[in-house]
Amino acid sequence: MKDLFDDLPDVPEQPHPALGDTAALLALLERWVARGWLRALDRALAVFLHREVPDAPAPLLLAAALASHQLGRGHVCLDLAATLEAPDLALSLPPEGDDLSDPPPLPSEVLGGLTLDAWQEALTHPGLVADGAQGAPGHTPLVRGATAPGHQHQGPRLYLRRYWQYEQEIRARITARLDTPADDAATLATALDALFPTTATLDWQKAACALAARSPFAVITGGPGTGKTTTVVKLLALLQALALGRADPPSARPLRIRLAAPTGKAAARLNDSIAGQVKGLSLVELAGAVGQQGVDIPTLREAIPTEVTTLHRLLGSRPDTRHFRHHAGNPLTLDVLVIDEASMVDIEMMAAVLTALPSRARLVLLGDKDQLASVEAGAVLGDLCQRAEGGHYTPRTADWLEAATGTPLPTQYHDAQGQPLDQAIAMLRVSHRFDAASGIGRLAEAVNRPLDGGHTAKEKRRAVREVFEKAYADLARLRLNEADEPALDKLVVEGHPAGFVDGGQGRTDRRGDPIVPPLGYRHYLEVLRTRRPTETSFGEGEDRQPFDDWARAVLEAHCQFQLLCALRKGPWGIEGLNPHIGRALRRAGWLQASDLELEQGWFEGRPVLVTRNDYGLGLMNGDIGITLALPDARAPGRKLLRVAFPASDGSGRIKWVLPSRLQAVETVFAMTVHKSQGSEFTHTALLLPDAPNPILTRELVYTGITRARDWLTVVETGRGMLDEAVTREVMRVSGLGN
């Protein structure tokens, strides 16, 4: 039967009072701040704009506060259409609900009666908002940017002007570099053949070197073990050989190449990796393949840089300001800049780098597009690599690649409508770390499968479950609840080898060498105890060598296991797990520390993570040190605590630091996945929380999985959390993806 109310006209929902009354809106924002749903900074912006422009409509002030809030959540701007579609995602609502009395209205209640047209109309105030499509004239604090056709949402985006300018700066400077590719494939072909063996199918590392040598801007992306560092070392050798092999020897000089990474930890790791690869790289054929008379091999090897710095140091950070010593008016003195772990570079830093880069200089970004994006706003590498999977190389690029590499490009990567940016991006597609027998590799592949690639969420969850069902030798799954402390303790102390096939015994690596069974934290504490030097004095120079060797062994042993988690707070975050793990190790007899020391003090064996760059001590954000007890020469039998850090220059030296000098460190028995980026551990345990959380995404799980080299234990504290995580993707709002 036809419903009696079907013919009645729709009654529009009444706008919330806060959308028509500025005082009511500011009061609502204050309640959101008090609840922790909004930052005080975000409300302060709305108050400031109202004070400067009293006639600003309330919907505009609300949009400004929400746009500011998105920056704190990693978004560059506010997408109005997406916000109206899912209003409650615009604030930092507690995922497990808010059980406090008298809750304020949810964003869905406030925005329920607001249409997109009405919100757009409110954003036309000339005193506060400029139109990005017209170049955003003037100095308004806000900029309205239209979404490009074909984007997921067709409505406009609202930017704080500074971030709109960052985006425009990045877009313009990358575009300028894409307009000037070098097309001389013949010059590269002989040199590339000297670096790479001949293969029947396209060698993607060789293709990446070719594309990066062709364009002043290039991106090399790929998953773990695909050879990103190997590729960039060969690229640097290629560029230097070509520079030194010019026809006119007097004018030939090595390129000024700088290597950088966003964090000290990433810089140190790249430093070690590149130094070893440059030392072992055969340059005989390459040296003879360039120039009329070839180049001198020692000169060529010396010209390949191995020192890696942080981006802050490269640009010359200035205390108490967000500005750098190097900028457009004082550019960097270099010819080539390579940035590793580029997924961690936020939009502000990328804009600063491009601004300080000389127009003639070459920029190469290196990173895994599928890893977690930067903690700060923006996902620049992810935005640039949105089309990397498909290649999208034009016929001209495909022909050029075949001429340069000697191998045709597979047809599935051809695209007559390919964009200029596509021609500068190379994706490495073969993992040399994980083979078909690796559960870690198969799990990473299943987790990373995009939902927009024809796979449903149900199919993706099934693919993840099937990996565990196949009982791969390097993969274990552990389910916990609050009563399972013994199981967690067994994992962190011993590594829980019983969770793996055959107790982790009998595995060999690619060379046939045996792989040590999975270990826990007991291992490094056992090395600490059994390898302690017998010397009674901690001296200088050679007298310190036994202690340096000891510390080096302890630090290496500590890398054998790491527990990673998603959260900072709560029993399953680092704030709850670190003291818990300390107590478990104390119960097992491996630590001697009181509860107070475990919570906030110093004790021998304490692993610490540096959380802020300290240039005075030469320590960078992400560096890990171990607290060790040294003999006090002034008082026999007395011990002094020092924290041992590996030197970040790849020399293998040990840096000893007084605990009192470390002002920004935290215990790191448990580490967040965000902090683990750029690291690798022999046995990684990835612990997922027991309740849904917005931070629990595909990218976080993928990043955690790929920190494991030989062994991975996935720890679930809540039923279904892995299934939920792998089907939720990070959606960072910006305009670069257009």
Side-chain angles (χ1 to χ4, degrees), residues 708-727:
R709 189 177 72 223
D710 295 327
W711 307 100
L712 172 68
T713 301
V714 178
V715 185
E716 295 177 80
T717 62
R719 188 173 182 82
M721 289 303 100
L722 180 60
D723 283 348
E724 175 157 337
V726 300
T727 53

Side-chain angles (χ1 to χ4, degrees), residues 263-329:
T263 68
K265 181 69 175 292
R269 186 160 181 258
L270 180 63
N271 205 37
D272 291 342
S273 180
I274 280 192
Q277 293 207 31
V278 170
K279 186 177 180 180
L281 185 64
S282 175
L283 298 173
V284 177
E285 292 187 27
L286 177 62
V290 294
Q292 296 180 351
Q293 301 178 354
V295 299
D296 180 62
I297 294 177
T299 301
L300 175 57
R301 194 179 302 278
E302 183 67 25
I304 304 173
T306 57
E307 181 181 347
V308 186
T309 186
T310 64
L311 288 172
H312 282 87
R313 274 191 167 177
L314 176 74
L315 294 176
S317 59
R318 295 162 58 185
D320 303 321
T321 175
R322 65 196 319 144
H323 299 295
F324 295 98
R325 186 164 52 85
H326 288 289
H327 45 75

Side-chain angles (χ1 to χ4, degrees), residues 454-486:
H455 305 288
T456 65
K458 184 177 180 180
E459 291 171 335
K460 185 169 184 178
R461 288 192 290 266
R462 184 189 304 121
V464 171
R465 286 196 297 271
E466 288 175 351
V467 173
F468 286 105
E469 290 169 358
K470 291 181 180 179
Y472 286 99
D474 58 348
L475 191 60
R477 193 174 192 176
L478 180 62
R479 289 186 171 93
L480 302 176
N481 55 48
E482 292 183 1
D484 283 334
E485 286 192 5

Side-chain angles (χ1 to χ4, degrees), residues 580-596:
H580 176 97
I581 295 170
R583 289 191 293 270
L585 291 168
R586 183 179 62 189
R587 286 193 297 270
W590 294 105
L591 281 183
Q592 294 180 355
S594 66
D595 285 342
L596 181 61

